[in-house]
Amino acid sequence: MDLSSLIKAYDVRGTVPDQLSPDVARAIGAAFARVVVLPEAGDATRPSVVVGHDMRESGPELVEAFASGLTDAGVDVVRIGLCSTDGLYFASGSLGVPGAMFTASHNPAVYNGIKLCRAGARPVGQDTGLAEIRELAGDFLGDGLPEPADAPGAVTDREMLADYAAFLRGLVDLSGIRPLKVVVDAGNGMGGYTVPAVLGTGAGLPPLPLDVVPLYFELDGSFPNHEANPLEPANLRDLQAAAVEHDADLGLAFDGDADRCFVVDEHGDPVSPSAITALVGLREVAKELEQGRTPTVIHNLITSRAVPDLLHAAGAATVRTRVGHSFIKAQMAEHQAVFGGEHSAHYYFRDFFFADTGMLAAMHVLAALGSQPHPLSALADAYQPYVASGEINSRVADVPAARARVVEAYVTQQGAGPVTTDELDGLTVSHWDATPQWWFNLRASNTEPLLRLNVEAADEDIMEKVRDDVLSLVRDTETDASDTPEEQA
């Protein structure tokens, strides 16, 4: 059976039950055991896997089926029940075992999925086992599952929320900050489960000087209030309004599985994820420099130029990567980087098993804001000196032809001069080392006939001119009749 529409480059994600059914989950569990778990365990102690799920109704049934595929292969299963994705990474890292998180992140209610990791929360992606899992699970669905092991695995239940909360509290001390009022929009996702434990007293920890105003903390996988995808501006509106209404110091929005965190200031204005990357990165860099170490920070190529500028000025090294969490995580491990950030609001920490956690990023923002007297709008200004377009998606009839028009105008016709180009991920054209300062990146979608444009410049007029010029080439009306641009903040 072909599972390519379900098991993609980074994770498993599809509609329930037509794409992801209990039978499919069982086959994936059996394949995960044989591709990752058993080879990784070798002849050591009995192998085990930690499994968690988010608030989607289909989660428990899929977990049960997945676990049976593992136990039939002789693998023990530790079920931790409801958790955020970073809660699952914590469990995998602290227990030293592979893990599986059942979630479809920000996708609508009809979806579910699985994020797999090796022991220590190391990623399982296309090139690190997921392709083999896809092929083997498809074989199992077509030819039948293998005979159960002579000694099947056992299933046990374990509570990890309190340990997760205590671990994060140990990484960022918020006890001494000035009192802050923070509105949190959990979007009916797992932030409604983790925020009371980490920022409140729900896990038995001491109270913090935080007045948390909750929005949509009720766990509901049908997402009755808005999609749990803060990347879409419409899904931030309730948080923005509440931040102003409650005279809050800031607002936080989590996606469905709470591995991403978005920030708005006291006016309800979004703070760029690039600014958060710089803010948090500088905090982590400062700790390393105090220990006499030269730190490295990872950022992807659509992150603001302010990020490497500020980090280099502070004495850090930076590594620029392709867009996508598997690339960030690989570079994090290779360079032993202290921190990594993406413009999609994924934030990665060496001290969190090189994995991403929205909650820890939020705690750094709270610590930075609460340790000085200025409002977040003023604090954030220092980290976002340039003007960005946000990601603009254009649907085109012929992606290669549209890209070729941009190459002709900005590369071929320019010739030698101040413009530089690279193709690390799509096409990046930069005029940053000359005046006026600007750069843009144009990337093709892997799944749709879309071109994604990001532009940044030193001022608004230049950004708008470059943006409009590139879009006019991309959306050539003579060859592309239907344009459905979508702009994301």
Side-chain angles (χ1 to χ4, degrees):
M1 183 178 292
D2 183 7
L3 296 177
S4 58
S5 63
L6 174 68
I7 305 178
K8 301 179 181 178
Y10 311 123
D11 60 15
V12 180
R13 199 171 302 190
T15 54
V16 177
D18 53 316
Q19 290 182 303
L20 182 55
S21 66
D23 286 342
V24 173
R26 184 176 295 106
I28 295 172
F32 184 50
R34 289 162 175 82
V35 173
V36 171
V37 183
L38 294 172
E40 194 171 87
D43 297 326
T45 58
R46 185 178 181 88
S48 63
V49 171
V50 60
V51 183
H53 64 87
D54 68 12
M55 64 290 146
R56 295 167 190 267
E57 289 186 5
S58 58
E61 182 181 26
L62 293 173
V63 165
E64 182 179 0
F66 180 84
S68 71
L70 289 165
T71 56
D72 282 352
V75 176
D76 289 341
V77 173
V78 179
R79 294 185 307 201
I80 61 172
L82 284 168
C83 65
S84 58
T85 289
D86 65 330
L88 186 281
Y89 291 151
F90 165 75
S92 172
S94 61
L95 299 177
V97 300
M101 174 66 188
F102 278 76
T103 180
S105 186
H106 60 273
N107 284 85
V110 70
Y111 284 81
N112 212 325
I114 317 171
K115 294 181 178 180
L116 301 169
C117 64
R118 295 175 181 269
R122 291 176 294 132
V124 174
Q126 175 75 20
D127 300 325
T128 52
L130 199 55
E132 291 87 346
I133 291 170
R134 178 175 60 226
E135 182 177 354
L136 187 57
D139 290 344
F140 289 160
L141 288 167
D143 303 331
L145 292 166
E147 290 295 319
D150 292 338
V155 177
T156 58
D157 294 306
R158 180 165 179 170
E159 169 60 52
M160 296 289 292
L161 180 62
D163 292 340
Y164 159 81
F167 183 80
L168 292 179
R169 287 272 194 107
L171 295 177
V172 178
D173 183 8
L174 295 173
S175 61
I177 65 172
R178 64 182 170 93
L180 296 175
K181 179 180 284 188
V182 52
V183 180
V184 179
D185 185 344
N188 299 109
M190 292 311 300
Y193 184 72
T194 57
V195 168
V198 180
L199 302 184
T201 57
L205 296 174
L208 296 171
L210 299 173
D211 179 6
V212 176
V213 179
L215 286 183
Y216 314 136
F217 272 35
E218 304 79 14
L219 301 183
D220 189 338
S222 69
F223 306 115
N225 295 289
H226 60 70
E227 291 183 352
N229 180 15
L231 192 60
E232 292 287 348
N235 298 326
L236 286 177
R237 288 173 186 160
D238 290 352
L239 175 67
Q240 293 171 300
V244 175
E245 176 188 352
H246 291 278
D247 195 25
D249 294 287
L250 75 163
L252 304 173
F254 292 91
D255 64 347
D257 59 337
D259 63 345
R260 290 187 295 157
C261 180
F262 290 73
V263 181
V264 303
D265 66 20
E266 74 279 6
H267 304 302
D269 294 327
V271 179
S272 162
S274 287
I276 300 301
T277 296
L279 183 155
V280 179
L282 288 170
R283 286 176 53 84
E284 292 287 55
V285 162
K287 291 191 300 184
E288 289 293 285
L289 293 173
E290 288 176 359
Q291 300 298 319
R293 297 188 291 261
T294 301
T296 297
V297 174
I298 311 295
H299 64 92
N300 71 20
L301 54 74
I302 62 172
T303 301
S304 170
R305 287 295 177 93
V307 172
D309 289 353
L310 291 167
L311 291 167
H312 290 162
T318 63
V319 176
R320 176 173 172 265
T321 77
R322 295 177 61 184
V323 174
H325 75 91
S326 65
F327 303 113
I328 290 273
K329 286 181 177 177
Q331 293 294 314
M332 287 283 295
E334 178 179 342
H335 294 277
Q336 293 293 295
V338 68
F339 176 68
E342 287 195 274
H343 203 67
S344 58
H346 281 282
Y347 305 107
Y348 307 79
F349 296 83
R350 184 194 62 199
D351 293 343
F352 196 77
F353 316 104
F354 297 108
D356 45 324
T357 163
M359 186 66 72
L360 185 54
M363 294 173 71
H364 274 283
V365 173
L366 292 167
L369 178 60
S371 63
Q372 51 84 63
H374 304 293
L376 181 57
S377 58
L379 181 64
D381 279 347
Y383 303 105
Q384 42 193 16
Y386 309 129
V387 181
S389 66
E391 187 156 279
I392 305 170
N393 294 332
S394 297
R395 188 173 298 275
V396 296
D398 188 337
V399 168
R403 184 184 187 279
R405 291 192 293 272
V406 176
V407 171
E408 173 66 22
Y410 280 91
V411 181
T412 307
Q413 293 182 11
Q414 291 290 329
V419 172
T420 61
T421 64
D422 71 64
E423 298 189 38
L424 174 64
D425 190 354
L427 172 69
T428 300
V429 178
S430 176
H431 196 264
W432 203 255
D433 295 329
T435 302
Q437 289 182 302
W438 57 264
W439 65 268
F440 71 82
N441 174 265
L442 189 67
R443 303 170 3 260
S445 167
N446 292 323
T447 58
E448 299 178 86
L450 296 176
L451 281 170
R452 310 187 191 279
L453 175 67
N454 284 270
V455 183
E456 185 175 51
D459 64 65
E460 185 85 23
D461 290 343
I462 296 300
M463 185 280 291
E464 290 179 352
K465 183 180 188 311
V466 174
R467 178 197 66 194
D468 294 346
D469 288 349
V470 176
L471 287 177
S472 70
L473 293 166
V474 169
R475 302 171 183 175
D476 187 300
T477 55
E478 294 182 5
T479 57
D480 297 315
S482 62
D483 298 328
T484 56
E486 175 185 344
E487 186 165 345
Q488 297 176 335

